[in-house]
């Protein structure tokens, strides 16, 4: 059979230039687009003489030749590498500012054939099999602007370079948005929880929003998990939060749900993210200004359990042409009593300890955030954000003690006054340069954070045996300073190829002090053996590169990250020092196969290697006496843990998804509960030999009726850890379900249920958790006022239980907090100047402080 004209052309180019070509056999409509890697100088004279007459045209682009021709001349075999042609442009307002998230619909002869959404800067890029000399239409719309119908004849796309939309002033004054984005949006490598405008947006702290979000699990201590029991890294507006779990939980309590736009959950992060956090990344994105004018919100809330909780705050955004300003201020006061907590210990000699503790809390928190951003030009932006948070936690513990030994029975009372005042301040400076309309960009971020805490614990105990009486106090202040700077470069090529690379440097310094004083002869005397000052320095140097390629419906992403750690510890008290230096390599592989783009179905598999460095406080060689029967110690010999993790998942039917995962961790860091004699229990971070974690997860958003939506998450996993030939393992279940009922012109009702079966952590087993929350939201005056009534843990079933059986010592503890509360919250949204468009219309396609530890 005689070769087709295009195949003859390729053969001729190959023979003349010596270049080979990569082909596939897909044909888009009746037009093909062929990409041939050749040298311009080698073929420029060649083409005019041999191009078949029925080819439409050819175009030289750098060292790439593009040939377009009619499909009927193409031999349909593995001969041709086809690509779809595309158009680009920008949507702006009348002041030439880019309009983000404008909707674009491409029509051919009045029929919708493709579409898209402009990015944060108003730019868009839409691919389609365009035909030469064919007329197309674009319909462009954005809330608050008059829709526009624009015609063009391909390939003349000059009219798309700048599409100007006019404000619809009548619409701005009267339009009411009744439709919301879905609570959950699932992307290729993550899923997104749209907090703004949802039932999560009113009257909650940041930690409560995470607890109620599908697929995120928060235990009673504030530790955050995605799957299984692995730690996660938390980011806020692209900045890693380098705090311990306790400090991070406290900081998240200072955030208001009213200030949160969305939460991105990335269970297996690619190489452009730090390798910290074996369980993945949770990225919290806060709101920011979008259009000229002033907009803001004032809110307050009140809850009552056995004592009152109240909070309030204000946030505002202002934008004038190229200048953006935003800020927020909030406060909270939390009083509560935890009554009847018990601890029981059975020692190897059958002695027993029984303690009953009542805890009285008087806590207050405040937080502020202020930011400025300025568009230096149409493709350059510089921004500064300053944040601060502070808390004062005043807690009193009253404990009744019964110590039953083979030779005697001793009873007593203990009183502990615990005062903590943590403060965090930070500043972030960023610069963004957009290099082209396809998404290529350069981003620079500089960040500084200072964390400090004053902490004092005054302890007194009295027994029927006076020789056991004691009084002492621990003063444990610390200060941490962290500096970081990073640069990220993204280059988007033709043929759906994207390159990302970047470097980052982090310097951290921590000063820990422990001052123990005993009360002797009516005065406080320092205990030199139990006092300590320790300074820790750490420097991290990181670099990464990723390459992502889309081939028809298949996406492949490969990445490699290198992180070098240099750490130095200096015990001022003992004069001992230690240092450690190690380099880690962290590869990532992602493969996604789209099945049905309209339904969003796809299958994926990914692999990553990640690490967890010891918290700063863990490396301090201290010994802290909490009370007569509990002691906490540091461990300067801790090594980082490394985790290998693989996931296989399937996204299908209307947002449903299912995945299985497996991870194995070496040198697992966990707190060992260890009896050390004389009825004392020691808590110390240790490197466990290893741990394995595997399971299956299912997310199922179900719309039962138009007015009844549910979001359901289920995880079944097995976790096993081992230390010194002692193994703990268990199958566990996490399940949660959120239901929202929308009763038009009346109110929205929501119900949230959570169940955690018993699970293991380190060498302990935690008891089950179950609770149900209810909420009712009333929207008034075009959604400017939102009134919410809430009831948490309505059946009063939330309880905390922990069991340990190690070295023939059995420890069990129980705590019931006042978790059943009733609350009222009120928020008011305001605007001034040019009206802001409702922020609920924004799409979710916008694209370090994790170990401070106190």
């Amino acid at each position: 059979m005689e070769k087709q004209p295009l195949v003859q052309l390729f053969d001729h180019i190959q023979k003349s230039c010596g270049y080979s070509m990569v082909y596939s056999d897909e044909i888009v409509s009746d037009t093909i687009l062929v990409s041939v890697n050749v040298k311009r100088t080698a073929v420029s004279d060649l083409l005019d003489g041999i191009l078949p007459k029925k080819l439409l045209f050819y175009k030289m682009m750098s060292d790439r030749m593009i040939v377009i021709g009619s499909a009927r001349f193409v031999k349909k075999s593995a001969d041709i590498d086809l690509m779809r042609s595309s158009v680009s442009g920008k949507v702006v307002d009348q002041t030439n500012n880019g309009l983000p998230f404008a909707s674009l619909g491409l029509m051919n002869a009045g029929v919708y054939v493709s579409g898209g959404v402009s990015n944060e800067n108003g730019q868009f890029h839409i691919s389609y099999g365009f035909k030469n000399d064919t007329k197309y239409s674009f319909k462009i719309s954005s809330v608050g602007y008059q829709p526009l119908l624009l015609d063009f004849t391909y390939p003349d796309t000059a009219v798309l370079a700048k599409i100007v939309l006019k404000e619809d002033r009548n619409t701005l004054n009267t339009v009411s948005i009744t439709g919301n984005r879905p609570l959950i949006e699932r992307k290729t490598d993550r899923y997104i929880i749209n907090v703004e405008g949802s039932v999560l947006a009113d009257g909650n702290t940041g930690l409560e929003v995470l607890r109620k979000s599908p697929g995120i699990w928060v235990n009673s201590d504030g530790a955050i998990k995605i799957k299984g029991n692995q730690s996660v890294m938390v980011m806020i507006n692209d900045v890693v939060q380098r705090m311990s779990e306790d400090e991070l939980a406290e900081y998240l309590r200072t955030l208001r749900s009213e200030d949160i736009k969305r939460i991105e959950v990335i269970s297996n992060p690619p190489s452009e993210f730090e390798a910290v956090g074996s369980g993945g990344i949770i990225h919290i994105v806060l709101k920011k200004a979008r259009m000229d004018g002033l907009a803001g919100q004032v809110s307050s809330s009140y809850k009552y359990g056995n004592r009152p909780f109240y909070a309030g705050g204000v946030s505002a955004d202002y934008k004038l042409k190229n200048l953006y300003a935003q800020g927020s201020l909030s406060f909270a006061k939390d009083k509560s009593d935890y009554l009847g907590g018990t601890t029981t210990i059975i020692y190897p000699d059958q002695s027993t300890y029984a303690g009953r503790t009542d805890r009285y809390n008087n806590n207050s928190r405040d937080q502020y955030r202020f930011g400025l951003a300025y568009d230096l030009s149409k493709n350059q932006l510089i921004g500064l954000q300053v944040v601060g948070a502070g808390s004062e936690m005043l807690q009193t513990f009253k404990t009744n003690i019964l110590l039953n030994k083979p030779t005697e029975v001793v009873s007593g009372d203990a009183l502990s006054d615990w005062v903590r005042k943590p403060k965090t301040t930070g500043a972030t400076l960023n610069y963004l340069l957009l290099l082209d309309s396809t998404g290529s960009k350069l981003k620079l971020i500089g960040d500084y954070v200072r964390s400090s805490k004053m902490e004092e614990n005054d302890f007194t105990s009295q027994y029927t045996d006076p020789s056991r009486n004691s009084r002492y106090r621990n003063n444990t202040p610390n200060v941490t300073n962290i500096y970081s700077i990073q640069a990220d470069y993204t280059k988007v090529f033709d043929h759906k190829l994207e390159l990302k690379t970047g470097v980052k440097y982090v310097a951290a310094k921590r000063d820990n002090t422990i001052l123990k004083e005993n009360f002797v002869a009516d005065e406080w005397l320092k205990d030199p053996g139990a006092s300590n000052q320790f300074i820790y320095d750490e420097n991290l140097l990181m670099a990464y590169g990723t390459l992502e390629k889309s081939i028809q419906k298949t996406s492949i992403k490969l990445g490699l990250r290198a992180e070098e750690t240099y750490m130095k510890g200096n015990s001022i008290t003992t004069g001992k020092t230690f240092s450690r230096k190690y380099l880690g390599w962290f590869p990532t592989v992602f493969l996604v196969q789209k099945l049905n783009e309209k339904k969003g179905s796809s299958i994926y598999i990914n692999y990553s290697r990640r690490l967890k460095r010891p918290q700063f406080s863990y490396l301090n060689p201290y010994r802290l006496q909490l009370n007569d029967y509990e002691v906490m110690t540091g461990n300067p010999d801790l090594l980082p843990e490394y985790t290998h993790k693989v996931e296989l998942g399937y996204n299908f039917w209307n947002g449903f998804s299912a995945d299985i995962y497996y991870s194995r961790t070496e040198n697992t860091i966990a707190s060992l509960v260890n009896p050390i004699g004389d009825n004392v229990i020691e808590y110390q971070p240790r490197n466990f030999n290893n741990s394995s974690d595997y399971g299956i997860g299912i997310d199922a958003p179900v719309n039962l009726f138009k007015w009844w939506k549910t979001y359901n998450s289920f995880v079944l996993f097995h976790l096993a850890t081992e230390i010194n030939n002692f193994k703990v393992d268990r199958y566990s279940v996490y399940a949660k379900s959120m239901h929202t009922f929308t009763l038009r012109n009346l109110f929205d009702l929501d119900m949230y249920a959570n169940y955690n079966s018993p699970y293991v952590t380190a060498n302990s087993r935690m008891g089950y958790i179950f609770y149900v929350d209810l909420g009712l939201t009333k929207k008034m005056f075009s959604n400017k006022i939102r009134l919410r009534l809430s009831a948490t843990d309505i059946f009063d079933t939330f309880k905390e239980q922990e069991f340990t059986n190690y070295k023939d010592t059995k420890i069990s503890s129980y705590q019931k907090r006042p978790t059943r509360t009733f609350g009222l919250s009120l928020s008011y949204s305001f605007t001034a100047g040019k009206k802001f468009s409702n922020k609920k219309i924004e799409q979710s396609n916008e694209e370090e402080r994790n170990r401070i530890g106190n």
Side-chain angles (χ1 to χ4, degrees):
M1 180 180 292
E2 185 177 352
K3 292 186 178 180
Q4 301 290 343
L6 277 182
V7 179
Q8 291 177 353
L9 169 65
F10 296 151
D11 286 349
H12 197 106
I13 293 175
Q14 244 176 276
K15 291 176 182 178
S16 303
C17 308
Y19 283 87
S20 60
M21 290 161 280
V22 180
Y23 309 115
S24 70
D25 62 356
E26 182 181 351
I27 295 179
V28 180
S29 184
D30 67 346
T31 299
I32 65 165
L33 190 151
V34 183
S35 173
V36 188
N37 291 316
V38 295
K39 293 293 184 182
R40 178 195 297 262
T41 56
V43 297
S44 58
D45 297 331
L46 175 69
L47 296 175
D48 291 335
I50 66 170
L51 276 177
K53 294 180 180 180
K54 292 188 178 181
L55 282 176
L56 299 182
F57 69 95
Y58 72 92
K59 182 179 181 181
M60 299 300 302
M61 298 170 55
S62 183
D63 62 347
R64 193 172 297 275
M65 180 188 75
I66 304 298
V67 183
I68 296 181
S70 174
R72 65 178 179 271
F73 291 104
V74 179
K75 181 180 179 182
K76 192 168 183 180
S77 61
D79 285 328
I80 300 172
D81 177 21
L82 296 169
M83 301 186 314
R84 306 180 79 184
S85 48
S86 61
V87 296
S88 301
K90 186 174 183 179
V91 184
V92 300
D93 61 17
Q94 291 171 290
T95 60
N96 206 35
N97 289 319
L99 284 180
F101 315 118
S103 176
L104 299 106
L106 176 66
M107 292 178 288
N108 184 4
V111 178
Y112 177 89
V113 292
S114 185
V117 178
S118 63
N119 66 13
E120 273 192 333
N121 304 291
Q123 295 164 332
F124 64 87
H125 185 85
I126 295 177
S127 298
Y128 179 68
F130 291 98
K131 300 178 185 179
N132 261 23
D133 301 322
T134 301
K135 184 177 180 180
Y136 297 91
S137 299
F138 258 128
K139 184 175 182 180
I140 308 100
S141 61
S142 181
V143 173
Y145 291 86
Q146 298 175 14
L148 178 65
L149 188 65
L150 194 63
D151 296 329
F152 68 98
T153 300
Y154 192 83
D156 183 6
T157 60
V159 295
L160 305 181
K162 182 189 293 185
I163 302 174
V164 181
L165 295 187
K166 297 180 180 180
E167 290 187 11
D168 188 342
R169 300 191 179 277
N170 292 329
T171 300
L172 286 172
N173 290 327
T174 61
V175 70
S176 176
I177 305 297
T178 58
N180 295 333
R181 287 170 299 170
L183 179 66
I184 302 296
E185 291 184 67
R186 190 163 291 277
K187 305 297 181 182
T188 300
D189 63 347
R190 70 194 69 186
Y191 69 90
I192 297 164
I193 303 162
N194 293 307
V195 176
E196 184 180 17
S198 75
V199 296
L200 301 174
D202 299 300
N204 293 304
T205 67
L207 191 65
E208 290 170 336
V209 171
L210 293 179
R211 180 174 283 124
K212 295 180 178 180
S213 294
I216 300 177
W217 316 93
V218 181
N219 68 16
S220 56
D221 295 325
I224 304 166
K225 315 293 180 184
I226 297 177
K227 295 172 184 173
N229 199 38
Q230 298 174 331
S231 63
V232 299
M233 179 174 74
V234 174
M235 300 172 63
I236 299 178
N237 282 0
D238 292 319
V239 178
V240 178
Q241 306 300 300
R242 299 188 184 277
M243 303 180 188
S244 69
E245 289 182 339
D246 291 343
E247 279 298 311
L248 180 60
E250 186 59 37
Y251 177 68
L252 291 174
R253 289 187 179 101
T254 66
L255 294 180
R256 298 186 311 147
S257 58
E258 290 83 358
D259 293 331
I260 298 175
K261 177 177 178 56
R262 69 176 186 272
I263 298 170
E264 300 178 349
V265 182
I266 313 170
S267 61
N268 212 10
S271 294
E272 56 261 38
F273 295 98
E274 285 192 33
V276 176
S278 54
I281 292 175
I282 292 177
H283 183 204
I284 300 173
V285 180
L286 304 178
K287 297 177 183 177
K288 56 183 176 181
R290 288 296 176 203
M291 296 178 62
D292 285 2
L294 173 69
Q297 188 177 69
V298 179
S299 63
S300 63
S301 61
Y302 175 86
K303 298 179 184 178
Y304 189 85
N306 54 22
R307 297 181 74 188
F309 166 93
Y310 52 89
V314 59
S315 61
D317 297 313
Y318 178 75
K319 181 176 182 293
L320 179 62
K321 296 183 179 180
N322 293 352
L323 177 66
Y324 308 75
Q326 55 189 348
S328 66
L329 179 66
S330 64
F331 71 92
K333 186 72 172 179
D334 181 7
K335 295 183 178 181
S336 58
D337 301 335
Y338 303 172
L339 305 177
T342 60
T343 300
T344 302
I345 306 174
I346 303 176
Y347 300 97
D349 64 357
Q350 298 305 303
S351 298
T352 61
Y353 166 90
R356 183 188 186 280
T357 301
D358 293 334
R359 173 176 169 178
Y360 304 92
N361 304 289
N362 185 359
N363 303 330
S364 59
R365 307 179 183 94
D366 58 77
Q367 187 263 353
Y368 67 86
R369 175 175 58 93
F370 177 74
L372 282 175
Y374 185 77
D375 289 325
L376 300 173
S377 65
K378 65 179 182 179
N379 62 342
Q380 293 185 83
L381 179 141
I382 188 169
L384 173 67
Q385 178 173 263
V386 179
V387 297
S391 299
E392 181 180 68
M393 292 170 281
L394 310 177
Q395 298 169 332
T396 298
F397 299 80
K398 295 181 179 180
T399 304
N400 303 123
I401 300 169
L402 180 63
L403 186 62
N404 193 337
K405 299 175 68 67
T407 57
E408 63 177 333
V409 176
V410 178
S411 62
D413 297 295
L415 176 67
S416 175
D417 286 319
W418 192 15
V419 178
R420 289 177 292 166
K421 297 181 180 180
K423 292 183 179 180
T424 301
T425 56
T428 303
L429 180 66
N430 62 76
Y431 169 78
L432 177 66
L433 172 63
L434 302 176
L435 301 173
D436 55 42
S437 62
T438 64
S440 300
K441 60 186 176 182
L442 173 67
K443 181 170 63 175
L444 305 175
I445 299 179
D447 185 59
Y448 167 72
V449 63
R450 174 184 171 86
S451 173
S452 64
K453 184 169 72 171
M454 186 284 286
E455 181 173 12
E456 186 175 286
N457 186 9
D458 192 333
F459 180 85
T460 302
S461 62
Q462 292 183 319
Y463 297 90
T464 52
D465 178 2
S467 65
R468 293 179 174 270
N469 294 350
S470 63
R471 185 178 182 189
Y472 53 85
R473 67 185 182 190
N474 295 306
N475 194 343
T476 54
N478 60 64
V479 177
T480 306
N481 289 281
I482 301 175
Y483 304 85
S484 68
I485 185 169
Q486 71 181 78
D488 298 283
Y489 172 73
T490 301
K491 175 62 178 176
V492 180
F493 299 92
D494 293 331
H495 312 296
K496 298 182 180 179
L497 179 66
E498 182 175 283
L499 169 70
K500 290 184 179 180
T501 185
V503 294
K504 185 171 186 176
Y505 172 73
V506 181
K509 185 171 184 178
R510 165 85 166 212
D511 189 340
N512 305 269
T513 299
I514 295 178
L515 173 61
K516 182 181 179 183
E517 297 174 298
N518 297 313
F519 194 69
V520 180
D522 294 330
E523 63 176 325
W524 291 105
L525 299 178
K526 179 180 177 179
D527 184 347
S531 298
N532 170 277
Q533 184 181 6
F534 179 76
I535 296 177
Y536 176 81
D537 287 281
E538 181 180 80
N539 292 273
L540 308 175
L541 183 60
M542 315 174 195
Y544 75 89
T546 67
L547 195 63
E548 185 171 5
K549 171 70 174 176
S550 295
I551 306 173
Q552 297 178 18
K553 293 184 178 181
T554 304
S555 296
I556 303 172
K557 187 172 185 177
L558 305 176
L560 181 63
R561 187 177 188 92
E563 296 191 3
E564 185 172 41
T565 303
Y566 176 72
M567 48 180 276
K568 182 173 66 175
N570 180 15
S571 176
I572 304 300
T573 304
T574 64
K576 294 181 179 180
T577 62
F578 71 90
S579 62
R580 204 167 291 149
K581 183 178 182 180
Y582 51 90
L583 174 66
W585 295 92
F586 305 96
T588 57
V589 179
F590 291 80
L591 178 64
V592 180
Q593 178 66 46
K594 294 180 181 179
L595 302 176
N596 187 318
E597 294 190 55
K598 290 185 178 180
K599 293 184 178 180
S601 62
S602 62
I603 57 175
Y604 61 89
I605 185 170
N606 53 59
Y607 162 80
S608 69
R609 182 176 188 250
R610 300 182 65 77
L611 89 161
K612 178 182 178 181
R613 299 181 183 91
Q615 293 181 14
F616 300 147
S617 57
Y618 284 179
L619 295 167
N620 186 355
Y622 68 93
R623 181 179 178 84
L624 179 62
Q625 190 79 31
L626 300 176
N627 55 52
D628 293 335
Y629 303 97
E630 293 180 295
V631 63
M632 184 180 295
T633 62
N635 184 359
D637 297 324
L638 277 179
L639 299 173
E641 66 175 37
Y642 293 91
T643 299
H644 298 268
K645 186 176 183 180
V646 62
E647 290 184 338
L648 173 64
Y650 177 35
N651 299 324
F652 58 103
W653 189 59
N654 293 331
F656 279 65
S657 68
D659 61 67
I660 58 176
Y661 72 94
Y662 173 80
S663 69
R664 181 171 180 83
T665 302
E666 303 164 356
N667 298 327
T668 305
I669 299 173
S671 181
L672 180 71
V673 182
N674 186 28
I676 58 174
D678 198 23
N679 304 125
V680 174
I681 303 298
E682 178 189 70
Y683 300 86
Q684 185 186 42
R686 296 275 190 93
N687 282 120
F688 284 54
N689 298 1
N690 56 66
S691 66
S692 63
D693 184 2
Y694 59 86
I696 181 171
I698 298 174
D699 289 314
V702 181
N703 296 339
L704 298 174
F705 299 98
K706 192 173 182 179
W707 49 271
W708 183 0
K709 298 180 180 179
T710 71
Y711 303 90
N712 309 282
S713 300
F714 173 86
V715 178
L716 169 65
F717 66 97
H718 178 269
L719 179 64
T721 59
E722 182 178 350
I723 185 171
N724 300 333
N725 297 319
F726 180 84
K727 186 175 182 179
V728 178
D729 70 307
R730 188 181 183 94
Y731 283 96
S732 302
V733 170
Y734 291 169
K736 62 169 61 177
S737 182
M738 178 183 292
H739 298 250
T740 60
F741 308 87
T742 302
L743 305 179
R744 288 187 177 276
N745 302 321
L746 293 176
F747 53 80
D748 295 339
L749 180 67
D750 58 271
M751 183 186 74
Y752 171 80
N754 183 93
Y755 171 74
N756 295 4
S757 73
Y759 64 95
V760 295
T761 176
N763 63 331
S764 299
R765 181 170 66 89
M766 315 302 291
Y768 79 91
I769 293 175
F770 172 72
Y771 58 93
V772 176
D773 297 346
L774 289 177
L776 185 150
T777 303
K778 175 64 175 176
K779 304 173 185 177
M780 299 173 285
F781 301 102
S782 300
N783 204 20
K784 289 185 177 181
I785 295 180
R786 295 168 65 99
L787 179 68
R788 178 172 173 81
L789 302 174
S790 63
T792 64
D793 191 15
I794 58 175
F795 300 115
D796 202 23
T797 52
F798 191 110
K799 56 185 178 182
E800 301 160 47
Q801 302 171 90
E802 183 175 350
F803 310 92
T804 305
N805 188 350
Y806 187 63
K807 292 185 178 180
D808 296 323
T809 300
K810 299 178 181 179
I811 308 168
S812 63
S813 62
Y814 170 87
Q815 176 71 68
K816 181 68 186 77
R817 307 189 190 206
T819 51
R820 180 160 59 184
T821 67
F822 300 91
L824 171 68
S825 65
L826 179 68
S827 65
Y828 169 70
S829 300
F830 60 88
T831 60
K834 293 184 179 180
K835 298 290 185 180
F836 278 65
S837 62
N838 192 309
K839 296 181 182 179
K840 288 193 284 293
I841 67 170
E842 295 180 11
Q843 304 297 311
S844 294
N845 58 350
E846 312 164 62
E847 302 275 347
E848 296 183 290
R849 301 166 179 152
N850 200 28
R851 297 185 300 126
I852 287 177
N854 286 307

